[in-house]
Amino acid sequence: MKLLSRKASCNSHGQDSSYFAGWQEYEKNPYDEVKNPQGIIQMGLAENQLSFDLLESWLAQNPDAAGFKRNGESIFRELALFQDYHGLPAFKNAMVEFMAEIRGNKVSFDSNNLVLTAGATSANETLMFCLANSGEAFLLPTPYYPGFDRDLKWRTEAEIVPIQCSSSNGFRITKSALEEAYQQAQNRNLKVKGVLVTNPSNPLGISLSRHELNLLLSFIAAKGIHLISDEIYSGTVFNSPGFVSIMEVLMNKKYVNSPVWNRVHIVYSLSKDLGLPGFRVGAIYSNDKKVVETATKMSSFGLISSQTQYLLSEMLSDKKFTKNYVSENRKRVKQRHAMLIRGLKNAGIPCLESNAGLFCWVDMSHLLSSKTFEAEMELWKKIVYQVGLNISPGSSCHCIEPGWFRMCFANMSEQTLNLAMQRIKSFVNSISESKMNISPNQQYSNKSSRRKSFSKWVFRLSFHDRETER
């Protein structure tokens, strides 16, 4: 081990999290309607499989794009040869126009300020390298996407300081929470370089309000720090209030050409809105020329293939297609979201009211044996192993209240989602029945037994499952 680097030898990647452990269990026993009907259903993956038919239909109607042809002539050789890291101009133009369309054309974007990256993971990490030195911090509102512990910290050695949000106000960002997080960083002798938010929020499934966005701009202006707005779920907003990009508020607040104008950066991707995570298409948008210049140089470590850029430039340039896709995809997300909500309600499980995303933030605190994170992990273990559903526990998202879970709904068929809801309802019913049939002495004995088995399982999770991926 001494022959390896400190990075290779350390365990700071974050994959010992229950978020990733649930994926491992699913991969060992994946549900299949025919081959493995008793397997684990993957509800921990925020993937959009609802509108593949629209993409496949476009490909069938546009064989030249899929066949790497232009006006019937092959351009395979042109695409196969070296391309520099600035990206294909046609694709960058198509991307900024699509970003504007997702935002209702209330804002426009300059392709010269766009940096292409291999997905949003790469975009966020690249921004960390550009904005923070090792040991410097970014503030993130909780709960947040568990992968950020890896994406923002592992290679950059930056730090995350939580902005503690609670269910008392629907997990909204407040001025006092921002100030408390900033003070906490100072108490730890950490220099704060910025705030990072997901808008819409992952895992909450809510878009940030204008009030919150104005609050964030005022905060970074006062502190002289950066703001990163990860907007990869912007096209999934299906209910009012509609999506408001930080760029829209930035322009309306007349911050143009002010110091704040250059300290706001947007991350975007086609992984969620277009359902193409395997294509690895992400982007950074910044008004700071130095950030754009540096991030472009860094993008050489994670480029998007020329073939992918060409295909998607043709697709996104088809305005009739993109307009129909954005509208229809939102309808489908809304319908599938409603289906999950109905199923959970039928099982007596409430959710945070949401208007976006490919998941719901589910409150199962009433099913906990006690109001502790140990009890949350105990419940999560039962849901994974006994119920056969991989969901993400709130503690993996750094939620400060035990009993919350993230459930994804757009990565499976309606039949599979119905089955998942049947399983969770049966589980809740079994808990209710067992509570009615257990005497006080039995309850004490069972609690003691649960503690012992939980301790053994945590030991296995911590030391056996650590070798396990936005």
Side-chain angles (χ1 to χ4, degrees):
M1 193 63 88
K2 291 181 180 179
L3 294 175
L4 301 180
S5 70
R6 180 169 56 86
K7 188 67 67 183
S9 304
C10 73
N11 188 34
S12 60
H13 186 274
Q15 286 204 184
D16 56 346
S17 161
S18 53
Y19 172 76
F20 292 108
W23 281 42
Q24 287 182 331
E25 296 308 314
Y26 163 76
E27 288 166 359
K28 294 174 188 174
N29 183 27
Y31 167 80
D32 183 272
E33 185 178 359
V34 177
K35 297 178 181 178
N36 191 20
Q38 302 304 316
I40 296 173
I41 296 173
Q42 175 63 290
M43 301 189 79
L45 177 61
E47 197 170 68
N48 183 4
Q49 297 183 21
L50 302 181
S51 300
F52 269 131
D53 60 311
L54 302 180
L55 301 173
E56 291 167 336
S57 176
W58 185 91
L59 290 171
Q61 295 168 23
N62 295 271
D64 272 12
F68 307 125
K69 294 180 179 180
R70 186 186 294 125
N71 301 321
E73 297 292 326
S74 175
I75 58 169
F76 176 80
R77 181 185 296 268
E78 176 186 331
L79 295 173
L81 296 176
F82 175 77
Q83 297 282 350
D84 74 20
Y85 47 53
H86 291 87
L88 300 182
F91 178 56
K92 293 178 74 173
N93 289 332
M95 272 288 281
V96 295
E97 289 178 7
F98 185 66
M99 288 170 65
E101 184 172 7
I102 289 288
R103 292 154 180 78
N105 290 306
K106 295 175 182 177
V107 291
S108 60
F109 298 92
D110 183 350
S111 62
N112 292 316
N113 294 350
L114 192 77
V115 180
L116 300 177
T117 65
T121 294
S122 177
N124 278 309
E125 185 189 56
T126 298
L127 276 174
M128 285 295 111
F129 274 122
C130 290
L131 305 179
N133 294 310
S134 173
E136 294 179 336
F138 261 72
L139 312 180
L140 272 69
T142 63
Y144 63 76
Y145 165 59
F148 280 150
D149 291 320
R150 169 200 63 194
D151 302 350
L152 308 182
K153 295 173 58 177
W154 185 45
R155 297 199 298 184
T156 67
E157 298 184 340
E159 296 290 337
I160 292 175
V161 176
I163 302 167
Q164 304 289 13
C165 303
S166 73
S167 62
S168 61
N169 69 341
F171 295 98
R172 292 293 178 177
I173 301 170
T174 63
K175 183 178 180 180
S176 60
L178 285 167
E179 293 291 351
E180 286 168 12
Y182 192 87
Q183 185 60 51
Q184 181 190 357
Q186 290 189 318
N187 293 344
R188 293 170 55 189
N189 294 317
L190 294 174
K191 183 177 182 180
V192 177
K193 296 304 291 290
V195 180
L196 187 150
V197 296
T198 55
N199 183 26
S201 167
N202 175 12
L204 298 176
I206 58 175
S207 56
L208 296 184
S209 66
R210 284 185 182 273
H211 171 74
E212 288 172 292
L213 294 170
N214 282 319
L215 183 64
L216 287 164
L217 287 178
S218 298
F219 181 75
I220 68 159
K223 304 298 185 186
I225 58 177
H226 295 271
L227 173 63
I228 299 174
S229 181
D230 183 330
E231 301 184 354
I232 68 171
Y233 290 98
S234 52
T236 68
V237 178
F238 53 82
N239 265 347
S240 60
F243 176 70
V244 180
S245 172
I246 191 62
M247 189 58 67
E248 182 181 343
V249 178
L250 194 64
M251 296 182 73
N252 289 346
K253 290 287 286 184
K254 297 181 174 59
Y255 281 117
V256 180
N257 298 324
S258 73
V260 172
W261 178 255
N262 285 346
R263 297 205 305 269
V264 174
H265 321 276
I266 293 175
V267 167
Y268 188 60
S269 164
L270 297 182
S271 295
K272 310 303 180 182
D273 290 350
L274 214 56
L276 299 174
F279 278 39
R280 307 311 303 147
V281 178
I284 295 167
Y285 189 86
S286 176
N287 294 310
D288 188 313
K289 300 300 180 187
K290 188 62 178 177
V291 169
V292 172
E293 178 186 330
T294 306
T296 299
K297 293 174 183 176
M298 288 186 176
S299 70
S300 62
F301 295 102
L303 296 173
I304 306 168
S305 74
S306 298
Q307 293 86 345
T308 299
Q309 291 187 54
Y310 174 71
L311 172 61
L312 293 179
S313 68
E314 293 293 299
M315 181 182 286
L316 297 182
S317 295
D318 185 340
K319 299 307 177 189
K320 182 178 179 181
F321 166 76
T322 57
K323 182 178 181 180
N324 176 67
Y325 179 91
V326 170
S327 174
E328 181 62 23
N329 184 62
R330 280 176 174 153
K331 289 178 184 176
R332 296 182 185 188
V333 172
K334 181 176 183 177
Q335 290 167 356
R336 189 61 64 85
H337 171 270
M339 185 177 171
L340 175 64
I341 295 296
R342 284 196 302 271
L344 292 171
K345 184 177 181 180
N346 193 35
I349 299 174
C351 305
L352 180 72
E353 185 175 352
S354 57
N355 68 323
L358 307 174
F359 34 74
C360 288
W361 190 235
V362 181
D363 182 6
M364 289 196 274
S365 58
H366 60 293
L367 301 178
L368 299 180
S369 57
S370 62
K371 300 299 182 182
T372 64
F373 286 109
E374 182 179 79
E376 177 183 282
M377 294 300 290
E378 183 182 350
L379 176 61
W380 174 72
K381 177 182 127 177
K382 288 180 179 178
I383 292 171
V384 172
Y385 289 103
Q386 297 178 20
V387 185
L389 304 178
N390 175 37
I391 62 177
S392 305
S395 54
S396 72
C397 305
H398 301 272
C399 183
I400 61 172
E401 302 171 16
W404 291 90
F405 295 81
R406 190 191 73 166
M407 279 193 184
C408 300
F409 56 77
N411 62 320
M412 65 193 78
S413 67
E414 287 190 6
Q415 293 79 6
T416 303
L417 183 56
N418 272 326
L419 175 60
M421 294 300 96
Q422 290 169 20
R423 288 183 179 184
I424 198 71
K425 184 179 181 182
S426 296
F427 173 65
V428 173
N429 288 344
S430 70
I431 291 177
S432 300
E433 290 170 6
S434 64
K435 283 182 177 179
M436 288 188 294
N437 296 329
I438 293 177
S439 67
N441 288 337
Q442 285 176 311
Q443 285 180 351
Y444 178 82
S445 175
N446 286 346
K447 283 180 181 178
S448 177
S449 174
R450 279 200 301 266
R451 286 194 199 102
K452 290 177 183 177
S453 90
F454 175 77
S455 299
K456 291 178 183 177
W457 178 77
V458 168
F459 180 86
R460 183 181 65 80
L461 174 64
S462 300
F463 293 94
H464 177 67
D465 282 343
R466 281 190 173 179
E467 315 219 351
T468 71
E469 198 180 80
R470 188 181 192 198

